[in-house]
Amino acid sequence: MDNPVVKNFGLQPYLPMYEQMHHFTQQRNSDTPDEIWLVEHPAVFTQGKVGKAEHLIKQTDIPVIQTDRGGQITYHAPGQQIMYILLDLKRLKVGIRDTVNALEDSVILTLKDYDIDAYAKSDAPGVYVNNEKICSLGLHIQHGFTLHGLALNVDMDLTPFNHINPCGYAGLKMTQVKAYLVELDRDEIRHKLTNYFIQQLYS
């Protein structure tokens, strides 16, 4: 199995990347290599396809964008590492649960390298440290292809999370890698995250 093509887009507005992701998926066929897109977005709230409006607690000047991913409302901003996975599940012969596990485990293994004890919860997708959420995830499956992925809080302003019930959970506290590391190498974190994910599904 060929490894996916990894692309680092840097800081990009949310909507153009969302549209590009859908365009890629609509155009692909059974021979199209899988891709992993690494990106950060300017401040934006994104709402899942079954997201409930009441989880936006306070109106702000931060835009709210409706999406087709799973899950409820979340927040993106610079300093949060996003990894979009554009995979052909049929070709990989894996299911959605395996894919979610691989996403969560890629974060857990990355954080373990920095002596941060992270874990997943069976009833609430994502990754947690000390009962605080450090990584959110949401997927959309279209004709056996995945869109969207995970968002790992690395070094960002977490304040806007107070204006929502993150992922639909009232009172859920958010955290980030910076809370546990004095020195951060964001390139290294991005590299580890990608490699651990690829190892699980492509080796």
Side-chain angles (χ1 to χ4, degrees):
M1 182 71 64
D2 291 338
N3 279 355
V5 177
V6 179
K7 296 180 176 177
N8 185 6
F9 289 92
L11 184 65
Q12 298 288 337
Y14 183 82
L15 264 181
M17 291 303 297
Y18 179 87
E19 288 161 359
Q20 201 173 325
M21 184 164 44
H22 281 79
H23 178 73
F24 173 84
T25 302
Q26 285 153 11
Q27 299 296 316
R28 70 180 300 175
N29 59 41
S30 57
D31 296 322
T32 306
D34 290 342
E35 295 196 1
I36 292 175
W37 294 2
L38 300 163
V39 66
E40 296 182 30
H41 294 309
V44 63
F45 292 118
T46 64
Q47 182 69 277
K49 60 189 167 192
V50 295
K52 298 189 171 97
E54 63 260 31
H55 291 308
L56 178 64
I57 302 167
K58 180 184 173 189
Q59 293 289 343
T60 69
D61 58 359
I62 299 170
V64 181
I65 296 177
Q66 186 67 42
T67 80
D68 61 358
R69 65 163 172 77
Q72 299 284 335
I73 195 167
T74 194
Y75 175 64
H76 303 305
Q80 181 190 68
Q81 183 58 60
I82 292 171
M83 184 169 80
Y84 290 135
I85 57 167
L86 304 170
L87 315 182
D88 183 339
L89 294 184
K90 291 179 199 159
R91 189 169 61 201
L92 278 171
K93 297 184 172 62
V94 297
I96 297 167
R97 185 69 246 176
D98 298 322
T99 309
V100 169
N101 289 346
L103 283 169
E104 292 173 335
D105 288 345
S106 65
V107 175
I108 292 166
L109 291 166
T110 296
L111 296 179
K112 188 178 179 186
D113 285 347
Y114 300 104
D115 296 320
I116 301 171
D117 186 18
Y119 54 91
K121 292 182 178 181
S122 59
D123 58 337
V127 179
Y128 301 79
V129 180
N130 294 326
N131 282 323
E132 296 179 333
K133 195 167 196 177
I134 200 166
C135 177
S136 305
L137 59 90
L139 291 174
H140 176 62
I141 313 297
Q142 189 173 311
H143 308 304
F145 301 122
T146 62
L147 300 92
H148 302 284
L150 64 76
L152 173 64
N153 303 337
V154 179
D155 182 5
M156 63 188 293
D157 178 7
L158 296 172
T159 310
F161 279 109
N162 296 331
H163 306 323
I164 61 173
N165 292 327
C167 307
Y169 291 92
L172 177 63
K173 293 277 184 267
M174 303 297 287
T175 190
Q176 58 185 332
V177 182
K178 179 108 186 302
Y180 296 91
L181 288 182
V182 178
E183 294 202 4
L184 280 174
D185 184 334
R186 284 168 59 179
D187 288 338
E188 183 181 75
I189 290 170
R190 191 162 46 237
H191 188 68
K192 284 177 179 290
L193 192 62
T194 312
N195 283 354
Y196 279 130
F197 181 73
I198 291 170
Q199 282 169 24
Q200 290 174 86
L201 291 184
Y202 295 85
S203 55

